[in-house]
Amino acid sequence: MLSPNASLEPPAFFLTGFPGLEKAHLWISIPICSVYFVSIAGNCTILFMIKTDRTLHEPMYYFLSMLALSDLGLSSATLPTMLGVLWFDRRLIHFDACLIQMYFIHTFSIVESGILVSMAFDRLVAIRDPLRYTSILTNGAIIKIGLGVFLRAAFLVFPSSFLLKTMQYGRTNVLSYPFCLHQDILKVVRSDRRMSSIYGLMVVLSSMTIDSVLLIASYIMILRTVLSIASKAERLRTLNTCISHICAVVTFYTPMIGLSMIHRYGKNAPPAVHILMANVYLLVPPLMNPVVYSVKTKQIRTRIAKKLRKEPS
């Protein structure tokens, strides 16, 4: 039953660290914060290399810089409350601040998904029509694709925040994670939440689901093109240009699917498992993307090595 003041007073939201492990929060924060700082440093390095090296001013690397920016945005959106809970036990978060954090987390997640599709299109054009690659993916086209990806995410997620704002909550609401996610906020809603649930499903279907289909279709066309190449060595060389992107796709979608599965089927799992999966979903892609592209992309790897050795490029 709703509190008589539930709709008149601003609700209080409390974030959750690792239940039962509160005394170990400081130690738990060491690997988590290390991952954050390494991912931020790695993505900043990628951006610096692409900006300062003219030989990397190509469509593939422009899309990679967009991916690095989305990873930085995702890390920056979750880091403050994560540190607040683990370091200072600051669990209280204002309702509006919670909605803002939720908005940016989901927006940057959808942006990353859209960028991965754009990168698949980039690889498709480079492999199927290499002679027209630069004429198709001009700077203007890349800017339009980037703006389209960002605006799609921004406009898709905004109504979710608005719908949650109109709902009723109790005076005290305990969330399941040290950050705010849409499905987690829905759990503490005390009024009818069907509209918000339906819209959340529509957002997933019109972003992640469509992007998954486009990614699969792109790689089917890429494989058909590669298999038509007579030389086995040339087929392997061509496929090797896609390895970094495939790793980025797997790194992004695997934790997301795992988190969705544990939400649906792992209701009896310990709370720490849910929190761990949510952290993997938000921490692993920003960490692994710069690592994968630095290791698997020769142009970036060699330029980072030159910078470290302070050799002229």
Side-chain angles (χ1 to χ4, degrees):
M1 184 175 179
L2 285 175
S3 165
N5 295 324
S7 61
L8 300 176
E9 298 179 0
F13 281 76
F14 289 88
L15 304 172
T16 299
F18 288 82
L21 299 173
E22 287 81 4
K23 293 183 179 179
H25 272 180
L26 186 60
W27 294 104
I28 294 172
S29 72
I30 294 175
I32 290 177
C33 293
S34 298
V35 169
Y36 269 114
F37 295 136
V38 170
S39 64
I40 290 172
N43 284 293
C44 287
T45 300
I46 293 289
L47 289 171
F48 176 77
M49 291 297 167
I50 294 173
K51 178 178 174 58
T52 57
D53 194 326
R54 290 185 177 275
T55 63
L56 299 179
H57 291 182
E58 298 178 3
M60 172 184 172
Y61 301 107
Y62 289 143
F63 286 123
L64 178 56
S65 65
M66 293 181 196
L67 186 67
L69 286 171
S70 70
D71 283 336
L72 285 173
L74 193 59
S75 297
S76 301
T78 55
L79 182 59
T81 55
M82 176 75 74
L83 293 183
V85 171
L86 295 180
W87 285 2
F88 309 109
D89 197 31
R90 291 181 180 172
R91 298 176 56 215
L92 178 64
I93 183 171
H94 191 274
F95 180 47
D96 289 335
C98 189
L99 291 183
I100 290 171
Q101 184 185 47
M102 181 210 77
Y103 175 80
F104 281 111
I105 288 176
H106 290 294
T107 295
F108 281 118
S109 294
I110 295 175
V111 165
E112 182 149 346
S113 177
I115 293 171
L116 290 173
V117 173
S118 304
M119 297 174 83
F121 176 68
D122 167 84
R123 292 297 84 210
L124 177 63
V125 174
I127 292 171
R128 294 197 71 178
D129 204 352
L131 296 179
R132 298 179 57 210
Y133 177 61
T134 54
S135 63
I136 293 174
L137 288 172
T138 62
N139 289 343
I142 293 169
I143 290 172
K144 289 177 182 178
I145 291 172
L147 283 175
V149 166
F150 178 78
L151 291 176
R152 179 191 72 158
F155 286 120
L156 273 177
V157 179
F158 178 76
S160 298
S161 303
F162 178 77
L163 287 171
L164 289 173
K165 183 76 172 176
T166 62
M167 293 181 178
Q168 293 179 313
Y169 304 86
R171 290 184 179 180
T172 302
N173 305 275
V174 180
L175 302 179
S176 304
Y177 309 115
F179 36 75
C180 299
L181 297 177
H182 179 263
Q183 62 269 32
D184 199 26
I185 298 176
L186 273 182
K187 289 181 181 179
V188 299
V189 170
R190 296 198 178 184
S191 55
D192 189 358
R193 60 186 180 188
R194 282 176 297 177
M195 182 64 70
S196 188
S197 297
I198 292 171
Y199 184 77
L201 178 61
M202 289 175 57
V203 169
V204 172
L205 292 175
S206 58
S207 57
M208 304 295 189
T209 304
I210 291 178
D211 289 350
S212 303
V213 173
L214 292 175
L215 282 167
I216 293 171
S218 297
Y219 271 98
I220 289 174
M221 289 188 281
I222 287 173
L223 282 174
R224 289 180 62 183
T225 304
V226 170
L227 292 175
S228 67
I229 300 173
S231 169
K232 181 179 179 181
E234 187 66 18
R235 288 200 298 266
L236 292 174
R237 188 190 68 80
T238 303
L239 279 175
N240 192 54
T241 64
C242 300
I243 294 298
S244 298
H245 179 254
I246 292 172
C247 291
V249 170
V250 171
T251 300
F252 177 76
Y253 279 96
T254 301
M256 182 184 70
I257 293 171
L259 182 62
S260 300
M261 294 295 288
I262 201 167
H263 263 291
R264 182 174 295 271
Y265 302 110
K267 294 180 180 180
N268 295 326
V273 175
H274 289 262
I275 296 171
L276 180 62
M277 286 301 302
N279 278 280
V280 168
Y281 166 61
L282 294 176
L283 291 174
V284 170
L287 172 69
M288 293 305 299
N289 287 337
V291 172
V292 167
Y293 276 94
S294 298
V295 172
K296 298 298 296 181
T297 307
K298 182 179 178 181
Q299 292 88 335
I300 293 179
R301 184 175 68 248
T302 55
R303 280 155 182 79
I304 290 176
K306 286 181 179 181
K307 291 288 184 182
L308 291 175
R309 293 197 301 265
K310 296 184 179 181
E311 291 181 3
S313 56

